[in-house]
Amino acid sequence: MNIFIKIFLFFLILIPNLRGQNDTDLKGPHAVEPDKGKGMIIGKIVDQMTQAPVDFATISVLAKVDSAIVTGGISELDGKFAIEVPYGAYLIKVEFISYAETIIDNIVLDNDHKLADLGQIEISPSAQVLEEVKVIAEKSEVQFDLDKRTFNIGKDLANKGGSAEDILDNIPSVSVDVDGNVALRGSENVRILVDGKPSGLVGLGDSGGLKSLPANMIEKVELVTNASARYDAEGTSGIINIVLKKDRKNGLNGSIDVSTGLPERYGLGVTMNVRKKWINYFLNYGLRHRTGPGTGHTIQEFYGDVPIPFTEQFQTRNRGGLSNSFRGGMDVFITDKDVLTGAFTYRLGDDYSDALTKFYDYDLNRQLTGISERTQDETEDEDDLEYEINYERKFEREGQKLTAQFQYRNNRETESADYLETPFDANYQRTEDPALTQRSLNTESHGHTLIQADYIYPYSKDMKMEMGVKATFGRIGNDYLVEQLTDQGWSNLEGLSNNFNYEENILAGYLIFGNKIGQWSYQAGLRAEQSRVLTELLETNETNDRSYANLFPSAHINYEINKGNSLQLSYSRRISRPRFWYLNPFFTFSNSRNIWGGNPNLNPEFTDSYEIGYLKYWSAVTLGTTVYYRHTTGVIERIARVDGEGITRTQPENLSTENAYGLEVTTTADVNKWWRVDFSANIYSEKTRGQIGDLVLASDAFTYNNRLSSKMKFWKDAEFQLRFDYRAPQNTTQGRRKSMSGVDLGLSKDVMKRKATVTFSMQDLFNTRKWRYETFGDDFYMEGLHQRRARQVSLSFNYRINQNKQRQRSDRGDNGGGGDDFGEF
């Protein structure tokens, strides 16, 4: 790894300095003729205060006549360096992140002086950094703004070695269910972004890619629950923005992560940044192998004339695979005010899903009549490509800025599954009935283009206007084939196979005006979106072409009572368009008695969201509270029905209305210098009313969830974290979701002079995170228990390259240290 870093950096040192030469001929006055001899410059870089060697410091060799760069290198792990140069007169410049630049003059190499030994070169922290160490803090795990909360992932010990899915499941107000669906404040209608934009790293048409995205690639997660017109109107409950690691500091810096754990999983993560003058290179790579054993138990009772009135199902499964995620690019600082960024993202997944389901069938007297086993052997290959170009222009006027973005994504996924269903009698003896052999093939492709431009114009320090336009064009093709083996060979299963096309084109524009008068600040915005959604069922020639134009107003009013004490009132109107999987009628056949499908006739949901937020800082305590209300029309819920064969079919439907009220509380407290406590709770009520044909559906749900985290520092550079979460029972339109709780712990220790950290973590210490539910209708009752993943144990090692791990606490009067008055990705 050290050889790779040195070669990479050596190459990068030379290129950026050519910009400063203004294309001057390199054979100018500083050049050395080829027939002249060569000498060697050696030395050792150490910290002036500690005398410790400084590795990966940048050494530039400059011609004395005009200070043009000739060559360069970096220091070894022991601080030593050796650079071969032609005879001549030189300057040496030593640079290292957070240290003052050091210049060494009058170095001459000739026939009589072939070696220049500079001895021990002492470098010292810059004055700016020394001052920052006193007043700038380590970012706390949670940072508050009135319109968003930011969670710094590196501070959560329990997330080490995990995935993006693990991270989201451990963030207050966010939950991930047994199928991997993400919900915010109890609603699955949430928009998930990566670096402020849609991304293939999240997954194709859903959030399935989160389990393959390594946690070590993520810097922080931002929650925006009542977004302004600046953001897409998509996501009725809000926006989750995953921010990947990236830096623009001078020199080389980064980190290397290695992790392993049980159930079997291992990972490798590399994050690198190299900044030399006007070019910044960044690289993220994540390798993740995982296994995910899970279990399930379901009881179903059917009323009426059905072949099997009572059945019990037991399932064991293992979902896992190997994934590679790569993201690289560069920032080119064209001028001091113009930055051009190009980035490329590639994700390759090779996953599998094996399952065994046992069906125990009973008669009306609860006497066992038969047993059957159904096995699933599924493989999934996926590759995602993403290209993006971003341009940023800053003007002379403070705060005036123009940004433009272009992004193209191309994704392809192939799922192939084999099913074998074997019948047995009540004594578990093989019957004479033939086994049922089936297979499915699902091929899916995505193409997505995004074009966006945003402009900010400040009229004064406190008054500004924002405007922007955006266009997205997306197309998804899904070819799903289900076959069964008969005496005549493989034949299609009618009603399950289909070829489905989906197109979504959205044109948008927005305008925002904001101002501050005394202790009051306000912002009003309007976003317009024109949507066209086309679905095609090619097998049946069914087409659904819908176009609709909508306006989405937003408003935010802030009142700063005093320093560290603020109040905000906000409103926004939002939309939730049906997801691709919700529209596709055929895509899963893993359980022949419980079939899940989509509904191509779904309409979008519309939500009016109101919030009152209060934020208070004390010297050692931060308190954020929000009271919210959401009114939603066209609510989409998954509705289960049972046919005459006793098969349960579930598909999403538009219900009537939903009214949700809630109180959200988040607080952090420094009990003393070595103990910090974080607490969050979301208490809310949902009232849903709807009717589908003769089926009347209604629910009155009152529930809450909370998380309590305690982090203690002890010994030297060691931390211990204990976290507890609880989700209360909740009524649904067709049943009830039962309570769930869990405990996580983590222990970390800095090693290698605080350049590295070893972390041990355990998720779900008591193995209690199991989804339990009841679903019922006029003709059926179902009760289930499913565990998405069992207890996990992880051990990780993080090595930092030219990155200091600071330990001070944050200044609590800075409003969380982020963004403008209203927050921005």
mmCIF file with all atom_site columns, all heavy atoms in Angstrom, residues 132 176 217 232 433 508 524 767:
data_model
loop_
_atom_site.group_PDB
_atom_site.id
_atom_site.type_symbol
_atom_site.label_atom_id
_atom_site.label_alt_id
_atom_site.label_comp_id
_atom_site.label_asym_id
_atom_site.label_entity_id
_atom_site.label_seq_id
_atom_site.pdbx_PDB_ins_code
_atom_site.Cartn_x
_atom_site.Cartn_y
_atom_site.Cartn_z
_atom_site.occupancy
_atom_site.B_iso_or_equiv
_atom_site.pdbx_formal_charge
_atom_site.auth_seq_id
_atom_site.auth_comp_id
_atom_site.auth_asym_id
_atom_site.auth_atom_id
_atom_site.pdbx_PDB_model_num
ATOM 1  N N   . GLU A 1 132 ? -6.829  26.875  16.085  1.00 0.00 ? 132 GLU A N   1
ATOM 2  C CA  . GLU A 1 132 ? -8.021  26.073  15.882  1.00 0.00 ? 132 GLU A CA  1
ATOM 3  C C   . GLU A 1 132 ? -8.127  24.956  16.901  1.00 0.00 ? 132 GLU A C   1
ATOM 4  O O   . GLU A 1 132 ? -9.212  24.573  17.321  1.00 0.00 ? 132 GLU A O   1
ATOM 5  C CB  . GLU A 1 132 ? -8.020  25.492  14.459  1.00 0.00 ? 132 GLU A CB  1
ATOM 6  C CG  . GLU A 1 132 ? -8.314  26.540  13.398  1.00 0.00 ? 132 GLU A CG  1
ATOM 7  C CD  . GLU A 1 132 ? -8.202  25.961  12.003  1.00 0.00 ? 132 GLU A CD  1
ATOM 8  O OE1 . GLU A 1 132 ? -7.739  24.814  11.874  1.00 0.00 ? 132 GLU A OE1 1
ATOM 9  O OE2 . GLU A 1 132 ? -8.565  26.661  11.044  1.00 0.00 ? 132 GLU A OE2 1
ATOM 10 N N   . VAL A 1 176 ? -35.580 0.639   9.450   1.00 0.00 ? 176 VAL A N   1
ATOM 11 C CA  . VAL A 1 176 ? -35.480 -0.247  8.289   1.00 0.00 ? 176 VAL A CA  1
ATOM 12 C C   . VAL A 1 176 ? -36.204 -1.533  8.648   1.00 0.00 ? 176 VAL A C   1
ATOM 13 O O   . VAL A 1 176 ? -35.866 -2.184  9.633   1.00 0.00 ? 176 VAL A O   1
ATOM 14 C CB  . VAL A 1 176 ? -34.010 -0.540  7.926   1.00 0.00 ? 176 VAL A CB  1
ATOM 15 C CG1 . VAL A 1 176 ? -33.937 -1.422  6.687   1.00 0.00 ? 176 VAL A CG1 1
ATOM 16 C CG2 . VAL A 1 176 ? -33.247 0.760   7.702   1.00 0.00 ? 176 VAL A CG2 1
ATOM 17 N N   . MET A 1 217 ? -17.345 4.261   3.771   1.00 0.00 ? 217 MET A N   1
ATOM 18 C CA  . MET A 1 217 ? -17.345 5.256   2.703   1.00 0.00 ? 217 MET A CA  1
ATOM 19 C C   . MET A 1 217 ? -18.178 6.482   3.064   1.00 0.00 ? 217 MET A C   1
ATOM 20 O O   . MET A 1 217 ? -18.155 7.479   2.348   1.00 0.00 ? 217 MET A O   1
ATOM 21 C CB  . MET A 1 217 ? -17.883 4.642   1.405   1.00 0.00 ? 217 MET A CB  1
ATOM 22 C CG  . MET A 1 217 ? -16.970 3.624   0.758   1.00 0.00 ? 217 MET A CG  1
ATOM 23 S SD  . MET A 1 217 ? -17.652 2.952   -0.795  1.00 0.00 ? 217 MET A SD  1
ATOM 24 C CE  . MET A 1 217 ? -17.771 4.417   -1.826  1.00 0.00 ? 217 MET A CE  1
ATOM 25 N N   . ASP A 1 232 ? -35.964 18.662  -4.362  1.00 0.00 ? 232 ASP A N   1
ATOM 26 C CA  . ASP A 1 232 ? -37.042 17.949  -5.044  1.00 0.00 ? 232 ASP A CA  1
ATOM 27 C C   . ASP A 1 232 ? -38.239 17.822  -4.116  1.00 0.00 ? 232 ASP A C   1
ATOM 28 O O   . ASP A 1 232 ? -38.096 17.610  -2.911  1.00 0.00 ? 232 ASP A O   1
ATOM 29 C CB  . ASP A 1 232 ? -36.583 16.550  -5.457  1.00 0.00 ? 232 ASP A CB  1
ATOM 30 C CG  . ASP A 1 232 ? -35.591 16.589  -6.598  1.00 0.00 ? 232 ASP A CG  1
ATOM 31 O OD1 . ASP A 1 232 ? -35.458 17.645  -7.223  1.00 0.00 ? 232 ASP A OD1 1
ATOM 32 O OD2 . ASP A 1 232 ? -34.941 15.556  -6.851  1.00 0.00 ? 232 ASP A OD2 1
ATOM 33 N N   . ASP A 1 433 ? -46.711 -38.029 -4.850  1.00 0.00 ? 433 ASP A N   1
ATOM 34 C CA  . ASP A 1 433 ? -46.909 -36.856 -5.701  1.00 0.00 ? 433 ASP A CA  1
ATOM 35 C C   . ASP A 1 433 ? -45.553 -36.326 -6.168  1.00 0.00 ? 433 ASP A C   1
ATOM 36 O O   . ASP A 1 433 ? -44.581 -36.292 -5.401  1.00 0.00 ? 433 ASP A O   1
ATOM 37 C CB  . ASP A 1 433 ? -47.641 -35.761 -4.936  1.00 0.00 ? 433 ASP A CB  1
ATOM 38 C CG  . ASP A 1 433 ? -49.044 -36.180 -4.538  1.00 0.00 ? 433 ASP A CG  1
ATOM 39 O OD1 . ASP A 1 433 ? -49.640 -36.993 -5.277  1.00 0.00 ? 433 ASP A OD1 1
ATOM 40 O OD2 . ASP A 1 433 ? -49.525 -35.707 -3.486  1.00 0.00 ? 433 ASP A OD2 1
ATOM 41 N N   . ALA A 1 508 ? -38.498 20.687  -13.646 1.00 0.00 ? 508 ALA A N   1
ATOM 42 C CA  . ALA A 1 508 ? -38.770 21.456  -12.422 1.00 0.00 ? 508 ALA A CA  1
ATOM 43 C C   . ALA A 1 508 ? -38.045 22.793  -12.452 1.00 0.00 ? 508 ALA A C   1
ATOM 44 O O   . ALA A 1 508 ? -36.991 22.945  -13.087 1.00 0.00 ? 508 ALA A O   1
ATOM 45 C CB  . ALA A 1 508 ? -38.348 20.660  -11.185 1.00 0.00 ? 508 ALA A CB  1
ATOM 46 N N   . ALA A 1 524 ? -39.365 32.232  1.741   1.00 0.00 ? 524 ALA A N   1
ATOM 47 C CA  . ALA A 1 524 ? -40.556 31.754  1.034   1.00 0.00 ? 524 ALA A CA  1
ATOM 48 C C   . ALA A 1 524 ? -40.130 31.253  -0.335  1.00 0.00 ? 524 ALA A C   1
ATOM 49 O O   . ALA A 1 524 ? -39.293 31.879  -1.004  1.00 0.00 ? 524 ALA A O   1
ATOM 50 C CB  . ALA A 1 524 ? -41.595 32.864  0.908   1.00 0.00 ? 524 ALA A CB  1
ATOM 51 N N   . ASN A 1 767 ? -30.113 -10.374 20.873  1.00 0.00 ? 767 ASN A N   1
ATOM 52 C CA  . ASN A 1 767 ? -30.770 -11.029 19.745  1.00 0.00 ? 767 ASN A CA  1
ATOM 53 C C   . ASN A 1 767 ? -32.303 -10.869 19.812  1.00 0.00 ? 767 ASN A C   1
ATOM 54 O O   . ASN A 1 767 ? -33.058 -11.831 19.629  1.00 0.00 ? 767 ASN A O   1
ATOM 55 C CB  . ASN A 1 767 ? -30.400 -12.513 19.700  1.00 0.00 ? 767 ASN A CB  1
ATOM 56 C CG  . ASN A 1 767 ? -30.478 -13.087 18.301  1.00 0.00 ? 767 ASN A CG  1
ATOM 57 O OD1 . ASN A 1 767 ? -30.226 -12.401 17.317  1.00 0.00 ? 767 ASN A OD1 1
ATOM 58 N ND2 . ASN A 1 767 ? -30.852 -14.350 18.210  1.00 0.00 ? 767 ASN A ND2 1
#
